[in-house]
Amino acid sequence: MERIKMTTPIVEMDGDEMTRVLWKMIKEKLILPFVDLKTEYYDLGLLSRNETEDRVTVDAANAALKYGVAVKCATITPNRQRMEEYPQLTKMWRSPNGTIRSIMGGTVFREPICAPFLQPAVRKWTKPITIARHAYGDIYSAVDFKSEEPGECKLVFTTERGSSREWLVKKTDGPAVFLGQHNLTESIQNFAKACFMYAWDTKQSLKLAAKDTILKNYDTEFIEVFENEYAKNWKERFENSGIRFGYTLIDSAAAALMNSDGGYVLALKNYDGDVLSDLVSAAFGSIAMMTSVLVNPEGKYEYEAAHGTVTDHYYRYLKGEKPATNPTATIFAWTGALRKRGELDKNYDLMSFAEKLERATLQVLADGYVSEDLIPALEPDFEYRVTSAEEIINKIAVKL
Ligand code: NAP
Ligand code: MG
């Protein structure tokens, strides 16, 4: 069979443990037989990061900026326990995702993979709900303190030219806690750009939620930035495609979330996004049915699974077992990258292959060959057999 040709490489970031095992199987059995795959390969496995003093992560992120599309395997972020497990580590290397995000910039979109045999905790959710979290500022880089003594807390802003303004936060007559937080207009603008880009790419409506009735300056800034970006760059395109942009108060957005059937992107401030992204992913069933895309404001993309390296499955694998790990999110990271590469290069065969691989994957699960993690999320009368990752991948290859 003639394999699909590619013109531009995808940046491939390999990783660790069970997901590294799946990575190789997915490439060998599901992609290489059909695609004349062009990748620029970076080994982000922990030992390779250690050997290169983490240079490889920086190089991979820069390559992602150069080529515009990357796919990443889950990686170990070392902690104290990992330092004991891998005595050769010379340093507790930073989280690769953190390094990549700080080089590429941008917003992470977490999107569940929906299928008819999966039953989300909210029965009405039949389409994915994507949470876009503004991962900068607010309480995550705030100053907070406690005072046991009564006193006065003031907020003072001094401009570079030396003039200053002052607000009384609170005069207290007993112990109290205080908080000062900020955000940057430029960061909000980049967040807005990435949100509109993602909504447009996936042809879903975009909803922004905040609390401007309470934070009349702070949260109103988010609304104004989004509205300006919409009017300037997206309004016409959105209206012509039947998708919409709108603002809602965060509490009514949360209520609407429970009453909708999904199929939209919800842009949230940092803390709201932290809470609701975990809530939405838990309610959809399994972390292994959740993909994650980093979109930067210049339109560069990095695709990955939302889960980690599945350490316990890896140790069972090393003992000769064939664990029933779910390969779906890792496969969808690849199809996301292949589809985007195809779109940018006008390589329609590649786009259509990505579609077929996704369909084959969901068909194998729908046929009842499922991994362990899916059991609690299955429709009650669904007939299934717990199947190893390897066998699931083999069956997908046959379907393809
Ligand atoms: P994890 O690897 O996501 O695994 C947590 C648990 O979720 C697993 O023990 C497993 O449950 C279940 N699970 C996750 N993915 C699964 C899959 N594909 N199929 C079946 N079950 C799955 O998270 P973790 O244990 O907190 O972290 C392990 C390592 O991954 C850490 O070193 C961490 O630094 C790294 N990590 C990397 C990323 C990333 O690169 N983006 C993200 C998160 C964590 P059962 O044990 O019950 O089967
Ligand atoms: Mg969280």
Side-chain angles (χ1 to χ4, degrees):
M1 196 175 89
E2 204 180 323
R3 296 190 300 167
I4 297 162
K5 295 266 180 301
M6 290 176 64
T7 48
T8 323
I10 286 173
V11 177
E12 175 185 355
M13 308 178 184
D14 208 344
D16 288 299
E17 298 192 314
M18 199 59 211
T19 38
R20 188 181 180 98
V21 175
L22 298 181
W23 195 260
K24 190 157 178 278
M25 289 184 200
I26 291 168
K27 264 180 74 176
E28 283 176 359
K29 296 182 178 179
L30 302 182
I31 300 174
L32 289 172
F34 308 97
V35 180
D36 191 2
L37 188 67
K38 258 192 175 179
T39 70
E40 198 164 293
Y41 179 88
Y42 293 86
D43 185 358
L44 265 53
L46 182 57
L47 296 179
S48 156
R49 276 179 276 145
N50 190 55
E51 275 155 27
T52 60
E53 305 201 302
D54 214 17
R55 188 70 230 169
V56 67
T57 311
V58 175
D59 291 347
N62 284 320
L65 286 177
K66 178 175 166 196
Y67 291 110
V69 182
V71 58
K72 180 181 169 291
C73 179
T75 46
I76 292 172
T77 298
N79 54 15
R80 199 134 0 112
Q81 184 213 327
R82 296 291 197 174
M83 298 301 283
E84 282 165 24
E85 188 181 348
Y86 296 91
Q88 63 270 59
L89 294 187
T90 53
K91 217 173 133 182
M92 209 190 282
W93 304 107
R94 285 183 58 191
S95 147
N97 286 52
T99 304
I100 294 166
R101 214 172 303 155
S102 72
I103 293 172
M104 289 181 68
T107 301
V108 175
F109 296 84
R110 261 186 167 200
E111 178 165 329
I113 301 160
C114 295
F117 53 88
L118 293 175
Q119 184 192 304
V122 179
R123 300 231 47 172
K124 289 188 79 167
W125 291 356
T126 51
K127 288 176 274 179
I129 294 166
T130 304
I131 302 289
R133 170 181 174 190
H134 181 218
Y136 176 84
D138 300 352
I139 62 165
Y140 300 86
S141 49
V143 180
D144 76 319
F145 69 95
K146 177 176 180 180
S147 168
E148 298 291 347
E149 264 191 281
E152 226 174 57
C153 179
K154 283 179 178 164
L155 190 62
V156 182
F157 182 76
T158 311
T159 66
E160 272 187 353
R161 283 188 291 170
S163 65
S164 66
R165 284 195 287 167
E166 195 179 286
W167 298 262
L168 176 66
V169 176
K170 187 75 185 172
K171 190 171 185 300
T172 58
D173 49 17
V177 285
F178 300 91
L179 167 75
Q181 68 174 50
H182 83 284
N183 220 300
L184 302 175
T185 302
E186 191 190 6
S187 173
I188 303 168
Q189 282 165 342
N190 286 338
F191 177 52
K193 281 191 199 337
C195 288
F196 282 110
M197 208 164 333
Y198 186 88
W200 173 250
D201 270 349
T202 58
K203 298 293 176 288
Q204 299 180 93
S205 290
L206 175 66
K207 199 190 270 192
L208 168 71
K211 195 76 177 179
D212 66 314
T213 45
I214 302 297
L215 293 174
K216 293 194 164 63
N217 298 293
Y218 204 110
D219 282 17
T220 301
E221 182 70 355
F222 281 79
I223 301 174
E224 282 177 0
V225 164
F226 270 73
E227 281 177 347
N228 288 340
E229 175 67 19
Y230 182 60
K232 205 169 119 203
N233 296 318
W234 304 96
K235 192 165 187 286
E236 215 171 300
R237 275 193 268 179
F238 267 47
E239 283 172 356
N240 290 338
S241 305
I243 54 176
R244 289 181 301 170
F245 163 69
Y247 165 76
T248 333
L249 282 167
I250 180 68
D251 42 357
S252 62
L257 185 72
M258 304 303 281
N259 287 319
S260 85
D261 58 358
Y264 63 95
V265 182
L266 184 56
L268 298 171
K269 289 173 64 191
N270 212 345
Y271 176 77
D272 300 333
D274 189 353
V275 176
L276 284 184
S277 68
D278 280 12
L279 183 141
V280 167
S281 69
F284 265 106
S286 167
I287 183 75
M289 295 299 281
M290 188 69 74
T291 57
S292 172
V293 195
L294 175 67
V295 182
N296 95 348
E298 285 87 48
K300 318 281 182 186
Y301 297 76
E302 184 241 326
Y303 294 84
E304 60 177 35
H307 61 78
T309 59
V310 216
T311 311
D312 49 334
H313 290 217
Y314 180 58
Y315 280 97
R316 278 157 51 196
Y317 169 82
L318 289 182
K319 281 191 206 140
E321 273 182 51
K322 291 192 168 177
T325 317
N326 190 341
T328 310
T330 306
I331 295 172
F332 275 62
W334 271 102
T335 54
L338 291 168
R339 181 186 290 110
K340 178 52 75 177
R341 186 72 275 163
E343 202 182 301
L344 295 175
D345 296 350
K346 302 203 171 16
N347 185 341
Y348 302 108
D349 288 343
L350 197 60
M351 290 173 76
S352 128
F353 171 75
E355 189 64 38
K356 285 173 189 154
L357 176 49
E358 289 181 356
R359 250 191 291 146
T361 303
L362 293 179
Q363 271 172 22
V364 167
L365 301 178
D367 286 348
Y369 301 101
V370 302
S371 50
E372 261 169 24
D373 58 295
L374 289 180
I375 299 168
L378 294 171
E379 283 284 350
D381 47 9
F382 184 76
E383 277 181 35
Y384 66 89
R385 210 181 78 199
V386 174
T387 312
S388 72
E390 189 176 354
E391 204 183 327
I392 293 177
I393 290 171
N394 286 340
K395 289 195 183 300
I396 299 169
V398 171
K399 272 269 194 279
L400 265 179

